[in-house]
Amino acid sequence: MTTTVTGPSGLTHRHSDPDRTAHRPRGSWAPYLFISPFYLLYVLFMLIPVGVSLWLSLTEWVGLGTPQWVGLRNYRLLATDISFHRALGNTAVFVLVAVCVIVPLALLIAQALNAKGLRARDLWRTAYFVPIVVSPILVALVFGLIFDRQFGLANAVLKALFGTGGVDWLGDPTLARVSIALVMLWRWTGYLTVFFLAGLQNVPRELYEAAAIDGAGRLRTFTTVTLPALKPVTAFVVVTSFICAAQIFEEPYLLTGGGPAESTLSVTMFIYRAAFQRQQFGYAAAAAVVLFVLVFGLSRLCNRLLGIGRATS
Amino acid sequence: MTRARLPLYGVLVLLFLGFLAPLLWALSGSFKPRGEIFGYPPELVPDPFTLDNYRTLLTEQPFGRWFLMSTVVAVVATTVSVFVCALAGYGFAKFRFAGKRLLFNVMFSSLSIPFAVILVPLFVILVKTGLGSPWFALIVPWVAPAFGIFMMQQYIVQSIPDSVLEAARIDGASEFGIFRTIVLPLLRPSLGALAVWQFLQSYNSFLWPLVLVSDSSQYTLPLGLQTLFVSEQRQYDLVLAGAVLAVLPAVALFVLLRKQLLEGLSTGAVKG
């Protein structure tokens, strides 16, 4: 309850509770002042909207006049709405791509970038990261042209290699999903690589040396030393990419418009369409509440299982 | 350990091309007349080389206004959010107080709320309360990012020793005085990283402006380019030129501050 006194050597005693070293001023209102701007904005622009969303989801409203109370009807309609089922299914596919394809790929690239004595590490790292900083419009435009059936680069390359072209990348339901997945891969892999690379550089060298002495090969070193050491980073990256993929909007909206036949419609697109193209604000709010429950519940569960986001550092 | 490094470099170069080729192709296409953009095989060096796309874009489209809108909004949002994050990050890193764990968890769990959840109510609230003006409303989603607070908190715990703060307290400095004169200067590199990240988030945002802005004179860059993109004539040549111009500030910021940004981004994740 008192502040830790730093000894003459500059060393503090290490307690199991790192909070011990934190300062507790007398008349301790200072910390509350420091965190208050965030909580003010948080209440105004996050908590209240979530509450309003809950309330709106129980009404029918076209954006004008007064919302009509309809109880759980929106949820009953969602339960039988085939479009919403598609949106949930497609979003689940994008989440699986992110977690099961992009995350492992990012880990492999990070492993390559972490090779000892690698030249131009900064250049590679920068180049792979750049896609995340470019505007989604540019991404959609460029990939729209690449996947174009007539003029696209993808088909031109196929033709040159295999003599067949004319693949309808964005017009076929399965291929459209593949195209979106490829764009996600291109945009996000380098971003996630950064986290893994930082994690790899924090693995104590002694562990690798010990593994080498034990005569472990490269694969065994990777599975017995690297992977366990990367657990916290992996947890963070998995949860982050899950949350990002669960709210995917730009890629399908700009590249395929959710088509063909709603095969790339995401939940966020469904919400956008219901509210701002069809004026069904209550219905959109209900879909948003479902998304909230799914994403919030699953990611909190992941956090609990994987143990990240502890208040103490 | 000497090993043949050729395969490794081969893979890295292939990835390099894979990640950058689409962007280089866009860059080169922006200097080509419309008919040439789709030429096959794709020419990396534009021939004939023309600046017409840029000229047309800057003279016939309100590109300057879009750019101004995007930049002003991003700068304001960034300034506010960096300040909010530094304050809260410091509060969580260096103080003990009643309810700290709960408050931290509340903050941290807001990372798990998708923006789409608050999209509709936020729009309704801002429009109904007359705060729907783009100048104000466009910055709202970016002003209190939990990720930024988490990043700051981690960085402060690792890099600012308690003894420095204690010494200042013994000298009778006020809590906010300590923050302003000691903490903020020490935080400069990570504040830079956070600022770049926040700037890019706002500058590239698409869904929120799409919902909010209906008046074409207040379009942000992504919205403005989208109108060219979906227009009847499909003005690919102009969109490419506009996209290249729009991406320049983002890429320049990133390349200049990449070291701090890439390290700052991973601060929270590694120790997490």
Side-chain angles (χ1 to χ4, degrees):
Chain A
M1 299 306 111
T2 52
T3 55
T4 310
V5 179
T6 312
S9 58
L11 292 169
T12 49
H13 289 290
R14 299 204 52 177
H15 297 282
S16 53
D17 174 13
D19 249 12
R20 281 285 179 86
T21 60
H23 174 66
R24 188 163 202 178
R26 255 176 289 279
S28 55
W29 41 262
Y32 297 107
L33 280 185
F34 279 115
I35 61 173
S36 59
F38 167 76
Y39 285 96
L40 181 72
L41 295 166
Y42 176 82
V43 169
L44 280 177
F45 299 134
M46 186 69 97
L47 227 49
I48 291 176
V50 170
V52 169
S53 203
L54 271 173
W55 171 70
L56 268 182
S57 74
L58 303 171
T59 68
E60 189 176 325
W61 192 42
V62 293
L64 297 165
T66 349
Q68 295 296 310
W69 183 266
V70 293
L72 293 173
R73 200 181 70 186
N74 286 325
Y75 293 98
R76 275 200 297 277
L77 289 172
L78 278 179
T80 55
D81 185 338
I82 204 84
S83 288
F84 189 61
H85 297 181
R86 283 199 196 110
L88 284 172
N90 296 334
T91 305
V93 169
F94 296 140
V95 165
L96 284 175
V97 167
V99 173
C100 304
V101 179
I102 299 179
V103 170
L105 186 70
L107 174 57
L108 287 178
I109 295 176
Q111 180 76 0
L113 286 177
N114 197 40
K116 252 190 287 191
L118 182 76
R119 282 157 204 270
R121 193 181 319 242
D122 188 42
L123 171 77
W124 309 122
R125 190 174 67 157
T126 304
Y128 304 159
F129 190 87
V130 158
I132 202 83
V133 311
V134 302
S135 170
I137 295 286
L138 181 61
V139 176
L141 172 75
V142 169
F143 279 89
L145 298 182
I146 286 175
F147 291 129
D148 190 277
R149 191 175 183 173
Q150 274 177 290
F151 311 107
L153 202 58
N155 280 347
V157 170
L158 283 180
K159 207 178 177 79
L161 290 178
F162 307 107
T164 58
V167 177
D168 199 0
W169 287 98
L170 301 177
D172 173 88
T174 310
L175 285 176
R177 287 196 196 111
V178 171
S179 304
I180 300 282
L182 284 170
V183 176
M184 284 166 65
L185 189 95
W186 182 79
R187 260 187 99 183
W188 300 359
T189 307
Y191 169 65
L192 300 178
T193 300
V194 169
F195 298 113
F196 280 127
L197 188 59
L200 285 170
Q201 286 168 343
N202 269 345
V203 179
R205 282 267 162 237
E206 306 85 73
L207 291 181
Y208 285 124
E209 283 156 14
I213 290 166
D214 291 345
R218 276 167 69 188
L219 187 65
R220 243 193 72 204
T221 308
F222 185 72
T223 51
T224 55
V225 175
T226 312
L227 283 182
L230 281 183
K231 205 184 149 198
V233 188
T234 310
F236 178 88
V237 170
V238 166
V239 175
T240 304
S241 53
F242 161 68
I243 295 167
C244 282
Q247 53 186 319
I248 190 167
F249 173 81
E250 290 154 352
E251 287 92 340
Y253 177 84
L254 289 165
L255 203 61
T256 59
E262 298 188 338
S263 62
T264 53
L265 182 78
S266 73
V267 175
T268 303
M269 271 185 81
F270 181 91
I271 294 168
Y272 169 81
R273 193 178 71 178
F276 302 102
Q277 291 176 339
R278 301 181 178 177
Q279 314 304 320
Q280 304 163 318
F281 284 92
Y283 200 48
V289 171
V290 173
L291 179 70
F292 172 75
V293 170
L294 286 174
V295 174
F296 195 81
L298 281 171
S299 64
R300 297 310 291 163
L301 185 73
C302 282
N303 284 347
R304 181 128 314 176
L305 289 175
L306 303 165
I308 56 169
R310 298 269 158 77
T312 54
S313 42
Chain B
M1 291 240 312
T2 48
R3 282 205 320 273
R5 276 300 166 84
L6 232 52
L8 176 66
Y9 283 111
V11 169
L12 290 178
V13 169
L14 271 180
L15 284 169
F16 181 84
L17 292 175
F19 283 120
L20 284 190
L23 296 175
L24 291 174
W25 185 60
L27 179 67
S28 114
S30 70
F31 296 110
K32 295 174 185 172
R34 187 183 301 191
E36 296 283 318
I37 292 175
F38 299 103
Y40 184 79
E43 304 261 334
L44 193 56
V45 180
D47 177 37
F49 179 93
T50 172
L51 288 172
D52 281 352
N53 301 339
Y54 290 91
R55 199 172 296 124
T56 312
L57 178 79
L58 293 172
T59 52
E60 294 178 16
Q61 301 288 346
F63 185 84
R65 197 181 298 157
W66 300 339
F67 183 76
L68 186 75
M69 191 79 199
S70 272
T71 313
V72 169
V73 166
V75 166
V76 173
T78 302
T79 311
V80 174
S81 72
V82 165
F83 205 64
V84 169
C85 289
L87 282 168
Y90 177 61
F92 280 122
K94 292 294 178 191
F95 292 94
R96 307 180 60 192
F97 48 91
K100 173 174 168 174
R101 192 167 293 253
L102 173 74
L103 284 165
F104 185 89
N105 283 335
V106 165
M107 183 274 292
F108 192 80
S109 61
S110 73
L111 278 174
S112 312
I113 304 177
F115 179 66
V117 171
I118 58 168
L119 173 72
V120 174
L122 198 58
F123 172 83
V124 171
I125 292 167
L126 289 170
V127 169
K128 291 286 166 195
T129 51
L131 295 171
S133 152
W135 294 106
F136 175 80
L138 281 179
I139 70 165
V140 161
W142 316 109
V143 287
F147 181 71
I149 295 174
F150 186 56
M151 185 172 136
M152 284 290 139
Q153 184 244 3
Q154 296 280 332
Y155 187 85
I156 292 168
V157 166
Q158 287 163 39
S159 66
I160 298 184
D162 288 333
S163 50
V164 177
L165 306 175
E166 283 307 322
R169 285 194 185 102
I170 291 164
D171 292 345
S174 71
E175 289 298 337
F176 190 74
I178 293 172
F179 176 78
R180 208 170 43 90
T181 56
I182 297 171
V183 179
L184 274 186
L186 286 172
L187 285 186
R188 204 164 289 154
S190 68
L191 288 176
L194 181 62
V196 174
W197 187 242
Q198 285 298 112
F199 181 91
L200 293 173
Q201 292 287 311
S202 164
Y203 186 78
N204 287 333
S205 64
F206 179 69
L207 174 56
W208 183 235
L210 177 71
V211 164
L212 197 79
V213 185
S214 47
D215 176 355
S216 64
S217 71
Q218 297 179 310
Y219 277 171
T220 59
L221 273 172
L223 280 188
L225 293 175
Q226 195 226 359
T227 53
L228 300 177
F229 184 39
V230 297
S231 69
E232 282 302 296
Q233 307 89 17
R234 285 264 169 181
Q235 296 159 295
Y236 287 138
D237 43 353
L238 297 192
V239 184
L240 280 176
V244 168
L245 286 181
V247 117
L248 280 180
V251 171
L253 260 182
F254 170 66
V255 169
L256 282 175
L257 293 165
R258 68 186 179 280
K259 275 216 158 50
Q260 293 91 318
L261 176 68
L262 296 179
E263 271 139 42
L265 271 184
S266 44
T267 304
V270 177
K271 299 274 194 292

